[in-house]
Amino acid sequence: MAIACPKLQLRFLGLARSLPSLARQPLPCLLPARSSPITVLRAVRRTAKARTLSAVKDDQSLSSIITELEQEQEEDETAAGEDVTRRLPERWSEIHGRDDWAGLLDPMDPLLRSELIRYGEFAQACYDSFDYDPFSRYCGSCKYNRRRFFSSLGLEGIGYEVTRYLYATSNINLPNFFTKSRAGAKIWSQRANWMGYVAVSDDETTARLGRRDIVVAWRGTVTRLEWIADLMDFLRPVNSVGIPCPDPSVKVESGFAELYTDKDPTCRFCKYSAREQLLTEVRKLVELHSRAGEEVSISVTGHSLGSALAMLSAYDIAEMGLNVGEGGERVATTVFSFSGPRVGNGHFKERFEGLGIKAIRVVNVHDTVPKVPGILFNERVPAFLRRLAEALPWSYSHIGVELPLDHRRSPFLKETVDPSCFHNLEAHLHLLDGYHGKGHRFVLASGRDPALVNKACDFLKEHHMVPPFWRQDENKGMSRAHDGRWVQTDRQEVDDHPEDTQHHVQRLGLADDHHH
């Protein structure tokens, strides 16, 4: 009697197809690049077992071999992941763009893929923790206390501690980006929106990474793309908003610059600009850890509009000279951008890269956001036209190295015309997990759960039985009071700014910056 083997069919489909030619091929071509000796030996043993499948007549023996093969595959996947991670201390600067990711993108380097997903999850944490509910008194804030940020998201083992929350004042030029409560005077803030956070690796993670890592994560937009229409598509010099660039021809999009530098002295959360909040925290952390003799890195990440802020803030950190340790050593500064728009002109790109900042941009080729602003004049037009257009206020240029992905390559995703699906961050992380290089078959490398794609969109094929927009708070934040009524749960006081912020603002020479 034959037995059903659905797992065998799925897991070893590629192996079964290659069995007839195994004997004729040299062993090295069957194995992935950078394979460890243990992985090679296991692969040889597994191949030998697979060859016996066609000769097995007894159902019990067949079932036993299938079980062994599956167990060994799981062991290999775990060992491969551990082997890749173990190499991070010796390869981290390469992964952070030391050589502009030459030779790492096609075929896709497993360690780079893993790190890109990891930094993408820092950006995703901004979405998962943001209060979008207009009926909440806390709409526009972070739902979780800073000290329990990652544990509240189920990310206890992430190995980082959030040291500061970042806020921005509601910008009149980007009305569709800011989320406001309908609760009137009872809300947590009339003007502020939570924009992200600064975190630093703990001692155990620092040892695993090979350096002390400072992460800056900026919030973008999950589904609402109306903010794109708000872009003024007008370039302004960065030194006009307080960034000390000596070249007035270095320009960025006006709305991004104002969002980053605006402040409101009457608002408890926005009395310091997002820029001042960020720079003072980065300065403190770099000084603290470089003084202790540690190697330090600054990793800035963001999705969508958050990517624009990541590019602008990383540039600002370098322009201000904050990517230098106590001993004068350079602190590697890298942007991990996901589906970001263009930020500035060609001179901004040159200045950004000339300061030694590295940037890698993960994009879905069908997404509209990375194509704006600068639809007519951008880095893709011929050089002579770009030079002519450089003086125009709508000539833009992307920065860094692009990693283009195509959602049509994933067998998990359905056909749709919804642009918010193409733009979704979880979809990008899913595509990263399955990407192995141009022309390679889409295979999930880490087994990242495809259900995450539908967390805030409707992109998975229906036979996966994952409901769209499934992530939500229990009872939408309502709880039953002692008297039986249902009420909104009160939260702890919202974090604002450390007491020493003004001191560090003055140290950086930002105290006279009254831009608002």
Side-chain angles (χ1 to χ4, degrees):
M1 180 182 70
I3 60 172
C5 301
K7 287 189 178 179
L8 178 69
Q9 184 181 5
L10 289 173
R11 284 175 171 263
F12 300 102
L13 185 59
L15 181 59
R17 285 175 178 165
S18 64
L19 279 175
S21 59
L22 283 175
R24 297 193 299 273
Q25 295 185 23
L27 185 61
C29 71
L30 301 176
L31 298 168
R34 302 183 179 93
S35 296
S36 68
I38 294 175
T39 304
V40 172
L41 290 172
R42 283 178 171 165
V44 171
R45 189 171 70 246
R46 194 166 63 243
T47 300
K49 285 185 178 180
R51 282 175 172 167
T52 68
L53 285 174
S54 60
V56 174
K57 306 297 182 184
D58 178 70
D59 287 348
Q60 187 174 359
S61 299
L62 178 62
S63 179
S64 175
I65 290 176
I66 292 170
T67 301
E68 287 183 36
L69 282 166
E70 289 180 343
Q71 288 176 345
E72 289 186 8
Q73 184 182 34
E74 290 173 1
E75 289 173 5
D76 285 355
E77 289 170 353
T78 302
E82 291 174 352
D83 187 50
V84 164
T85 305
R86 203 178 296 123
R87 299 185 63 191
L88 193 51
E90 64 193 62
R91 293 192 60 206
W92 77 262
S93 62
E94 178 190 10
I95 296 301
H96 269 240
R98 180 192 63 203
D99 304 316
D100 295 313
W101 297 280
L104 300 182
L105 302 181
D106 191 17
M108 188 68 186
D109 182 89
L111 184 53
L112 175 59
R113 181 199 296 111
S114 173
E115 287 296 277
L116 284 173
I117 291 174
R118 191 170 72 90
Y119 285 111
E121 287 174 340
F122 281 112
Q124 181 63 42
C126 291
Y127 292 139
D128 294 344
S129 59
F130 187 67
D131 191 336
Y132 294 92
D133 186 357
F135 293 96
S136 166
R137 298 192 304 274
Y138 301 96
C139 181
S141 71
C142 180
K143 292 184 285 191
Y144 308 120
N145 180 274
R146 174 177 63 81
R147 293 160 189 80
R148 295 189 296 276
F149 180 79
F150 290 120
S151 61
S152 298
L153 290 166
L155 300 172
E156 294 89 347
I158 200 166
Y160 284 71
E161 174 193 355
V162 174
T163 62
R164 182 165 191 157
Y165 279 169
L166 302 171
Y167 299 92
T169 184
S170 299
N171 190 299
I172 192 171
N173 294 319
L174 291 168
N176 285 300
F177 175 70
F178 287 91
T179 306
K180 290 189 176 182
S181 174
R182 300 176 186 174
K186 297 180 180 179
I187 63 175
W188 69 286
S189 173
Q190 295 285 346
R191 296 291 310 275
N193 255 212
W194 183 77
M195 293 301 301
Y197 60 90
V198 181
V200 65
S201 57
D202 60 26
D203 292 344
E204 182 180 348
T205 302
T206 295
R208 182 175 61 81
L209 298 177
R211 84 282 183 191
R212 184 74 65 172
D213 190 33
I214 300 167
V215 165
V216 180
W218 291 101
R219 179 177 68 83
T221 45
V222 181
T223 56
R224 298 178 62 188
L225 300 184
E226 295 92 340
W227 65 268
I228 298 173
D230 296 333
L231 292 179
M232 298 169 66
D233 202 6
F234 176 74
L235 289 159
R236 65 184 297 176
V238 296
N239 58 18
S240 71
V241 291
I243 299 175
C245 177
D247 184 354
S249 68
V250 174
K251 300 177 181 180
V252 294
E253 201 279 329
S254 180
F256 300 151
E258 291 180 5
L259 177 62
Y260 180 58
T261 60
D262 273 3
K263 58 185 176 182
D264 182 352
T266 67
C267 175
R268 168 185 158 197
F269 300 95
C270 299
K271 62 182 179 180
Y272 301 109
S273 66
R275 176 178 186 242
E276 291 170 335
Q277 297 165 47
L278 171 72
L279 295 183
T280 54
E281 191 64 20
V282 168
R283 170 71 173 265
K284 280 196 297 183
L285 292 173
V286 170
E287 281 187 347
L288 173 66
H289 295 292
S290 64
R291 190 180 295 137
E294 298 177 336
E295 192 165 15
V296 180
S297 64
I298 301 172
S299 308
V300 192
T301 184
H303 168 257
S304 190
L305 192 146
S307 165
L309 293 173
M311 292 288 191
L312 183 54
S313 59
Y315 158 74
D316 191 17
I317 288 168
E319 192 72 87
M320 288 287 292
L322 304 185
N323 59 339
V324 178
E326 283 287 280
E329 69 280 9
R330 180 177 168 274
V331 174
T333 305
T334 305
V335 177
F336 296 93
S337 159
F338 298 86
S339 189
R342 296 185 181 95
V343 178
N345 64 359
H347 293 294
F348 177 68
K349 168 186 166 66
E350 292 168 5
R351 183 71 179 175
F352 183 103
E353 296 175 351
L355 288 169
I357 318 162
K358 302 298 181 178
I360 184 166
R361 297 181 295 104
V362 180
V363 302
N364 178 358
V365 295
H366 303 286
D367 184 15
T368 304
V369 173
K371 298 177 175 63
V372 297
I375 294 176
L376 294 179
F377 297 104
N378 55 60
E379 73 286 345
R380 298 183 185 276
V381 303
F384 76 95
L385 274 180
R386 199 161 60 243
R387 283 193 295 271
L388 290 174
E390 193 59 47
L392 299 174
W394 52 83
S395 175
Y396 289 80
S397 184
H398 265 310
I399 294 171
V401 176
E402 181 176 275
L403 174 56
L405 306 173
D406 186 346
H407 71 256
R408 293 180 181 174
R409 301 282 297 172
S410 170
F412 296 88
L413 306 181
K414 66 183 180 182
E415 288 291 328
T416 180
V417 293
D418 185 350
S420 66
C421 289
F422 309 158
H423 186 59
N424 184 273
L425 177 54
E426 282 287 5
H428 279 69
L429 302 185
H430 167 74
L431 295 177
L432 267 175
D433 198 28
Y435 179 75
H436 295 262
K438 295 176 182 176
H440 290 252
R441 193 161 59 94
F442 187 98
V443 179
L444 295 178
S446 72
R448 182 179 175 80
D449 191 352
L452 293 170
V453 171
N454 266 16
K455 188 188 286 184
C457 70
D458 184 8
F459 208 0
L460 285 177
K461 291 178 178 177
E462 291 184 1
H463 69 260
H464 293 294
M465 298 299 290
V466 178
F469 302 95
W470 57 259
R471 194 183 196 282
Q472 56 184 300
D473 293 334
E474 184 179 3
N475 298 322
K476 292 197 171 182
M478 299 290 285
S479 61
R480 202 164 191 176
H482 296 298
D483 60 4
R485 293 183 305 114
W486 285 86
V487 296
Q488 280 191 20
T489 306
D490 285 327
R491 295 182 192 159
Q492 289 186 343
E493 187 175 359
V494 180
D495 284 296
D496 51 19
H497 306 296
E499 293 180 358
D500 60 354
T501 299
Q502 183 61 32
H503 168 70
H504 287 284
V505 164
Q506 291 174 338
R507 281 190 64 201
L508 288 173
L510 304 177
D512 296 328
D513 179 14
H514 298 297
H515 181 77
H516 61 271

